[in-house]
Structures are given as structure tokens and as C-alpha cells.
């Protein structure tokens, strides 16, 4: 079986973002970039499925600027077999990413496509679901457990109120939640080996996907600042403030 | 042009998130239809028909919709709202159900979508948070069908009573055959639901174990009639189940009062609660990032402060 894993290059999750002064977006110059944390979990899950003998080959794809190859190399160092970079300087929207991934998944005859449940920059939580729709296959979103059994995969999902388990017919799309696994660290020899692994470069036009979008970002602003609060000295003072000043209890 | 709102429910009653979503829909147009898809869900349709502002309820009652699986619901929604039908907007609450099927429906309609809008500027322009709530993007969409989910805490719910919409039963059965339901494990709780609670008491890693949640957090929550939340650290350490997690990757809450005990206030946690009206932090570290958003900060050991607070309110 083959697995396709999609990874996105995003601002590192620890970085405090700065909105540009002209309100055109977030300032990404000279900021630390990483693999989107949910995608790292998707890579780890694919590697574990390979180690369990379920999967034979793991292909990693990323759609974005040329620097995204760093994130593909990072995934290769974690155990993926080869990479595909779909290079574009346009901002890729989920529907376009899903269309490109659909072509790749079909060309490569992937049985399982793993994605993160959302990218921590756009917070969309859309791409996996859109890909499943375009391919006409089942989806296991927000997965916290994945079990492949024959031509089916059982996915336990994190839903409001608890957990839900579904059985999907392969091929299927799975999007990962944080609790699915704990990604490993890449060891130096593996990082060196990853440099020799195959990485193909493509363009959106190779897949016939138009990157023009019907969504336009009018402006990006920082969220409203909260007024600085006060320090209270005792529980009594806290209770008094909540009762008489904030009037919330 | 009409607006199609997807109803969140458990086949027995309508969830409040639907009322918040109808409130957002009212800012986009007047003709609001609510789709109630499920199994044995007539009572939900009756409830939806009474909600303020609803002009029509579409009831799809069939076993294939019982668990509201994305594959079948997306086909249903795309079929009802697609092509030359009159729907200009298709909207759903940003719950796990809405997040699961809406992008799938959007892709079937071949349109881009907007996730978790927090404000309606006009019928085509919306605000939504990005970067874990550290920036707000105003986005204009020129798609023919505008598909979006709503961050329910950003809109006050419409009244649950007073409306008198007609109910139309639709006989539209969509079964993808690609997925089947196996089972579910729901956490049982008598406390109010986390996302709609007026008060939330949350604990973090400093609680040190699950028993301390029961011993220190729960009595305070019960006295306040509050829901109990947790940071990701507390969930990952196994103190509490993950559906209690507040944050970018968990639930987004905006109660009147949020009490954070033993939570440092990482970016991801703040993304889930910083729109609360009043924030109280109890922490023994005055440098914790939570102090920068807290209206009232009590520097104290939570094992002393929580029982004292519980006894004094």
C-alpha cells in the first residue's frame, strides 16, 4: 500500500505573530518556519504504518514556495521515501491544494492520504475534507487512532462530547488530531540520508489547477487588545471584585 | 435569495449552536431555511420551526443521516443547495460536525469556503481569526454560493421561541457507501456544556493529577454552575478527557467568566478563551503569560486558593 502525506510550511507555532503595518497580512520575513505540527503527526503516523508493514512507500507532497522543500526534507528525515514539491508563489487556498493533491494521489495510486486537520496559520480545517469530496472517498477527520484492517480503515475521531469510531473503505483520507501520536525527532544520519532522497518539482499548471482565487483578503488587523487587569492580594478581594465590580457571580 | 442553515442536533433536541448560527444568517438575508438532517428527528424540526427568524425547515429523516456522517450529509447539502437553486449562502455552526462536512460540501459545489467567521461585514465580506486568533482577516468572497462555518461564540443566539416556520419533509436519500459508523464514547456530565456555559473553570498542568480536578476544580464549578475546561497539558497528561480541552485545537469558549487555575497561558490556549468577558487567573507565577490577559490575577498556590474561593462564594 502507498501513503501520500501532505505537509505545509508555516510559521513556527511558538512565534508570536506580527501584523504588517499596512494591514496586508502577517509579517513572515525573518521568522522561524516549520512543518505544520498536525502534518508532522501525519508523517509520523505514515511512518508507523510503514514500520507495522501496512504501508510500503510514503510520498510527501507540499504546495508552496520553493523553501517548502525544507519541510519536505524534514519529512524525508522522519522516514518518508520521496517528495513532490508543487512550487507556487501564489497563496494556495484549500480547494486548490485539494485539487492538486487529488491529481497526485491518483497518479501515485495512493491508498491512504494523511493530512493535518488544520494548518496553524490559516486555521481553515478544510483541505482533507475537500480532497475526500473530490476523490469521492471516505474521510476520517480529527483522527486520534487509525487501524488498517484489510481493505478498510477504522478511524477513531475526536468529536464534541467525546470519541466516535468509523470504518472507511480504502482508499480513504485521514486528517490528524494532536493526540494521534507523538512525532519522533529526526536523527542526524537520517537528515543526511534525506538529502539524497528523490524530490520532484512540479507546478500547479502541471495539474491543470488555476491558482486564481475568488477569495480576497481585504485587510488583516491585530485582534482587539484586552485592557490590562489588576492583581488582587487575596481570595476575599477576588470574590469582592467579581461580585461588586465585574458583577459576574 | 435564501440562506440555508445546517442544524446541529442529536436527533432529540436542537443544539444552541444552531441559534447562534441563525443569528449570523440574519445578518446576511431574511429568508432563512434550516436543514434538519438525521434519523427520528421530527422533534428537532419542530424546535427549529419555532426559532426566531426561520422561514422554512427542511426535514430529512432517514437512517443514512443518523450519525450525520460527512459523506452523506455533504451529498445532501450539495444536492439541496447546488445548481440553480435559490440558495446564496450555505452556513453551519463551527462545531466538529460543521467542520467535518462543510468543506466536503463546498468541494462538491466547487467553491472555496470560509471557516469560523466572527463577524458579518456585508453579505460577501466576513471577519475570521487566523494564526490562533492573533490576527483577524477581513475576507471578501465572490463565489456564487457562499459556504461558511460560524464561530458560534461570536454571535448572540436568536430566541428559541416565537417563530412559526413551515416544515417541509424532504425525501432525499444520499448514501455514499464509503463509510459506516462503528461506535461512540461520549463523556457524561451533568454540568453545562463547555462552549455555551456562562462560567468556565479550567485547570492546567499544575493540578498534577485527575483526582485534584475532582477535588479542587469541580467543587468550585458546581458552586458557580460552571462548566469545567482544561489546558492541553492537563489533557495530554491524562487528567481529564480531551473534549474538555480549551484552545486552538480544542473548544473555543467565550463565557462571562473564565477562571484559569494553574494554566500558564500558551498562545494555543489563549486562542480558545481570550474573548471571555472577565478572565481570572490563579497562578503562583506572576510572570505567566496568562497574567497579560487576566482581568484579575491572584498570585497564589491553587491548592490553597481554590478551596478558599469555593467556600467564600
Amino acid at each position: 500500500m502507498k501513503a501520500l502525506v501532505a505537509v505545509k510550511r508555516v510559521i513556527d507555532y511558538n512565534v508570536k505573530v506580527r501584523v504588517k503595518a499596512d494591514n496586508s497580512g502577517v509579517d513572515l520575513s525573518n521568522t522561524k518556519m516549520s512543518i505544520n505540527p498536525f502534518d508532522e503527526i501525519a508523517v509520523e503516523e505514515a511512518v508507523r504504518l510503514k514500520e507495522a508493514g501496512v504501508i510500503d512507500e510514503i510520498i510527501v507532497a507540499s504546495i508552496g514556495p520553493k523553501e517548502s522543500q525544507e519541510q519536505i526534507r524534514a519529512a524525508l528525515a522522519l522516514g518518508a521515501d520521496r517528495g513532490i514539491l508543487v512550487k507556487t508563489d501564489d497563496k494556495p487556498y484549500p480547494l486548490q491544494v485539494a485539487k492538486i493533491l487529488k491529481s497526485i494521489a491518483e497518479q501515485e495510486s495512493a491508498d491512504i492520504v494523511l493530512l493535518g486537520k488544520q494548518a496553524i496559520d490559516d486555521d481553515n480545517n478544510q483541505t482533507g475534507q475537500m480532497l475526500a469530496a473530490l476523490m469521492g472517498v471516505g474521510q476520517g477527520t480529527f483522527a486520534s487512532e487509525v487501524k488498517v484492517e484489510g481493505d478498510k480503515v477504522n478511524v477513531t475521531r475526536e468529536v464534541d462530547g467525546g470519541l466516535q469510531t468509523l470504518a472507511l473503505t480504502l482508499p480513504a483520507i485521514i486528517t490528524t488530531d494532536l493526540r494521534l501520536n507523538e512525532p519522533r525527532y529526526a536523527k542526524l544520519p537520517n537528515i543526511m540520508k534525506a538529502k539524497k532522497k528523490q524530490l520532484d518539482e512540479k507546478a500547479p499548471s502541471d495539474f491543470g489547477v488555476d491558482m486564481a482565487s475568488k477569495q480576497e483578503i481585504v485587510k488583516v488587523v491585530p485582534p482587539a487588545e484586552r485592557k490590562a487587569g489588576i492583581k488582587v492580594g487575596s481570595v476575599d478581594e477576588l470574590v469582592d471584585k467579581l461580585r461588586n465590580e465585574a458583577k459576574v457571580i | 435569495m435564501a440562506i440555508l442553515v445546517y442544524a446541529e442536533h442529536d436527533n432529540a433536541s436542537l443544539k444552541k449552536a444552531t441559534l447562534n448560527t441563525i443569528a449570523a444568517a440574519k445578518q446576511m438575508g431574511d429568508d432563512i431555511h434550516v436543514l434538519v438532517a438525521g434519523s427520528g428527528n421530527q422533534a428537532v424540526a419542530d424546535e427549529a420551526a419555532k426559532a426566531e427568524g426561520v422561514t422554512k425547515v427542511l426535514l430529512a429523516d432517514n437512517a443514512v443521516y443518523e450519525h450525520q456522517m460527512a459523506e452523506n450529509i455533504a451529498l445532501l447539502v450539495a444536492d439541496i443547495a447546488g445548481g440553480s437553486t435559490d440558495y446564496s449562502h450555505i452556513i453551519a455552526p463551527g462545531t466538529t460536525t460543521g467542520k467535518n462536512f462543510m468543506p466536503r460540501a463546498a468541494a462538491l459545489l466547487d467553491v472555496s469556503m470560509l471557516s469560523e467567521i466572527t463577524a458579518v461585514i456585508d453579505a460577501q465580506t466576513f471577519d475570521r481569526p487566523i494564526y490562533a486568533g492573533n490576527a483577524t482577516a477581513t475576507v471578501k468572497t465572490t463565489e456564487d454560493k457562499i459556504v461558511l462555518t460560524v464561530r458560534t461564540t461570536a454571535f448572540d443566539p436568536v430566541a428559541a421561541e416565537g417563530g412559526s416556520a413551515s416544515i417541509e419533509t424532504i425525501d432525499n436519500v444520499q448514501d455514499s457507501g464509503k463509510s459506516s459508523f462503528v461506535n461512540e464514547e461520549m463523556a457524561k456530565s451533568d454540568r453545562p456544556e463547555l462552549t455555551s456555559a456562562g462560567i468556565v473553570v479550567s485547570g492546567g498542568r499544575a493540578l498534577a493529577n485527575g483526582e485534584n480536578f475532582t477535588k479542587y476544580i469541580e467543587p468550585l464549578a458546581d458552586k458557580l454552575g460552571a462548566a469545567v475546561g482544561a489546558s492541553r497539558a492537563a489533557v495530554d497528561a491524562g487528567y481529564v478527557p480531551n473534549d474538555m480541552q480549551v484552545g486552538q485545537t480544542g473548544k473555543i469558549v467565550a463565557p462571562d467568566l473564565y477562571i484559569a487555575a494553574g494554566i500558564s497561558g500558551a498562545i494555543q490556549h489563549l486562542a480558545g478563551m481570550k474573548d471571555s468577558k472577565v478572565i481570572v487567573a490563579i497562578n503562583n507565577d506572576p510572570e505567566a503569560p496568562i497574567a497579560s490577559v487576566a482581568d484579575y490575577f491572584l498570585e497564589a498556590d491553587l491548592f490553597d486558593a481554590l478551596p478558599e474561593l469555593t467556600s467564600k462564594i
Side-chain angles (χ1 to χ4, degrees):
Chain A
M1 256 195 247
K2 265 195 206 179
L4 172 66
V5 185
V7 300
K8 185 177 184 185
R9 173 184 173 88
V10 297
I11 193 166
D12 188 86
Y13 73 98
N14 279 314
V15 175
K16 179 106 177 88
V17 301
R18 272 178 301 122
V19 172
K20 286 187 196 165
D22 65 357
N23 295 121
S24 62
V26 162
D27 191 356
L28 294 179
S29 54
N30 300 318
T31 36
K32 187 178 173 206
M33 303 294 278
S34 305
I35 294 193
N36 179 45
F38 292 101
D39 302 349
E40 208 172 0
I41 292 167
V43 173
E44 174 67 29
E45 194 64 19
V47 173
R48 289 187 190 192
L49 288 170
K50 190 179 175 190
E51 287 167 348
V54 176
I55 285 188
D56 311 307
E57 190 184 24
I58 303 168
I59 302 144
V60 181
S62 190
I63 294 129
K66 68 173 189 304
E67 293 83 5
S68 300
Q69 59 173 284
E70 292 165 22
Q71 279 62 47
I72 296 178
R73 291 283 176 211
L76 295 174
L78 292 173
D81 296 293
R82 60 189 166 90
I84 299 170
L85 168 64
V86 182
K87 206 172 100 180
T88 172
D89 289 323
D90 295 312
K91 177 182 160 53
Y93 282 84
L95 186 60
Q96 295 155 334
V97 173
K99 285 179 178 175
I100 294 171
L101 289 174
K102 172 187 189 266
S103 295
I104 297 176
E106 288 174 352
Q107 276 170 14
E108 301 285 352
S109 333
D111 303 281
I112 294 184
V113 186
L114 288 148
L115 305 90
K117 78 164 178 182
Q118 74 187 56
I120 60 163
D121 51 1
D122 290 333
D123 284 335
N124 276 320
N125 197 333
Q126 298 174 4
T127 307
Q129 294 90 314
M130 288 180 160
L131 175 60
L134 297 175
M135 291 178 71
V137 302
Q139 66 185 56
T141 52
F142 328 144
S144 60
E145 200 181 339
V146 174
K147 274 193 195 140
V148 179
E149 283 162 9
D151 63 347
K152 291 211 182 273
V153 56
N154 273 21
V155 180
T156 300
R157 310 176 51 232
E158 297 195 4
V159 296
D160 294 335
L163 299 170
Q164 178 191 62
T165 305
L166 306 178
L168 308 173
T169 308
L170 291 172
I173 310 300
I174 293 167
T175 75
T176 62
D177 218 316
L178 282 171
R179 258 160 299 274
L180 181 58
N181 60 49
E182 202 159 312
R184 68 196 65 190
Y185 289 99
K187 296 194 178 80
L188 186 60
N190 292 345
I191 295 171
M192 300 311 288
K193 272 186 233 159
K195 290 185 180 172
K196 297 204 179 75
K197 288 184 180 173
Q198 182 188 344
L199 202 172
D200 297 324
E201 202 176 296
K202 306 261 187 192
S205 56
D206 296 337
F207 305 99
V209 175
D210 178 8
M211 297 304 279
S213 174
K214 289 193 172 169
Q215 278 188 27
E216 178 205 346
I217 293 176
V218 180
K219 63 174 187 208
V220 175
V221 296
E225 288 279 324
R226 285 190 77 96
K227 270 201 324 248
I230 57 163
K231 219 165 156 178
V232 292
S234 68
V235 170
D236 287 319
E237 192 186 343
L238 177 61
V239 173
D240 176 63
K241 295 277 188 203
L242 291 179
R243 262 205 191 112
N244 303 316
E245 194 175 274
K247 297 190 169 56
V248 283
I249 58 170
Chain B
M1 298 297 266
I3 295 164
L4 185 68
V5 173
Y6 185 84
E8 175 89 9
H9 65 88
D10 58 3
N11 290 317
S13 63
L14 192 71
K15 297 275 188 218
K16 187 171 152 269
T18 312
L19 302 177
N20 302 81
T21 308
I22 294 168
K26 280 179 77 178
Q27 297 180 28
M28 301 171 207
D30 313 316
D31 196 8
I32 298 173
H33 300 184
V34 174
L35 170 62
V36 180
S39 177
N41 54 337
Q42 176 73 45
V44 182
D46 293 340
E47 240 185 290
K50 288 190 208 129
E52 179 197 339
V54 177
T55 49
K56 187 157 88 174
V57 173
L58 304 175
L59 170 62
D61 179 351
N62 192 290
V64 300
Y65 304 129
E66 186 180 353
H67 299 286
Q68 306 185 50
M69 309 255 281
E71 293 80 2
N72 300 348
I73 297 292
L75 285 171
L76 175 67
V77 169
D79 193 56
I80 293 174
S84 57
T85 57
D86 205 28
Y87 292 109
S88 57
H89 294 68
I90 304 136
I91 78 177
T95 55
T96 48
T97 310
K99 288 175 181 171
N100 192 32
F101 83 83
M102 274 300 247
R104 191 169 176 117
L108 293 176
L109 295 166
D110 195 27
V111 296
S112 57
M113 77 167 269
L114 285 155
S115 294
E116 295 206 66
I117 62 151
T118 50
V120 179
I121 310 297
D122 61 40
Q124 286 188 306
T125 318
F126 310 91
D127 279 353
R128 59 176 302 266
I130 52 176
Y131 291 90
N134 287 300
T136 304
T138 303
V139 186
K140 183 180 165 81
T141 172
T142 50
E143 297 282 9
D144 297 334
K145 305 264 176 204
I146 297 178
V147 179
L148 52 85
T149 56
V150 171
R151 176 162 293 183
T152 54
T153 55
F155 297 89
D156 291 329
V158 296
E161 299 285 337
S164 57
S166 59
I167 300 178
E168 186 184 310
T169 305
I170 52 171
D171 184 20
N172 186 332
V173 181
Q174 302 279 351
D175 189 0
S176 79
K178 302 286 183 188
S179 62
S180 56
F181 174 84
V182 178
N183 64 37
E184 64 188 4
E185 281 171 53
M186 291 298 164
K188 297 263 177 286
S189 172
D190 296 331
R191 296 195 183 82
E193 198 216 346
L194 188 53
T195 48
S196 57
I199 302 179
V200 173
V201 183
S202 278
R205 195 200 305 270
L207 266 297
N209 57 49
E211 292 79 67
N212 284 340
F213 257 84
T214 316
K215 197 169 153 194
Y216 293 93
I217 299 282
E218 292 182 9
L220 178 60
D222 289 342
K223 203 141 178 201
L224 291 165
V228 175
S231 70
R232 188 183 164 212
V235 171
D236 281 353
Y239 305 166
V240 290
N242 61 40
D243 57 297
M244 284 166 60
Q245 184 186 323
V246 172
Q248 184 186 21
T249 60
K251 298 209 168 120
I252 313 288
V253 301
D256 291 332
L257 173 61
Y258 187 89
I259 301 178
I263 293 176
S264 64
I267 295 172
Q268 296 84 345
H269 186 75
L270 298 183
M273 47 63 80
K274 70 184 164 125
D275 292 325
S276 304
K277 205 166 129 209
V278 175
I279 298 172
V280 169
I282 302 172
N283 208 300
N284 56 13
D285 176 11
E287 304 295 319
I290 192 89
S292 68
V293 300
D295 299 283
Y296 302 108
F297 184 88
L298 176 63
E299 183 184 343
D301 185 333
L302 63 91
F303 297 114
D304 300 327
L306 286 177
E308 190 184 344
L309 184 57
T310 306
S311 70
K312 285 180 175 164
I313 52 177

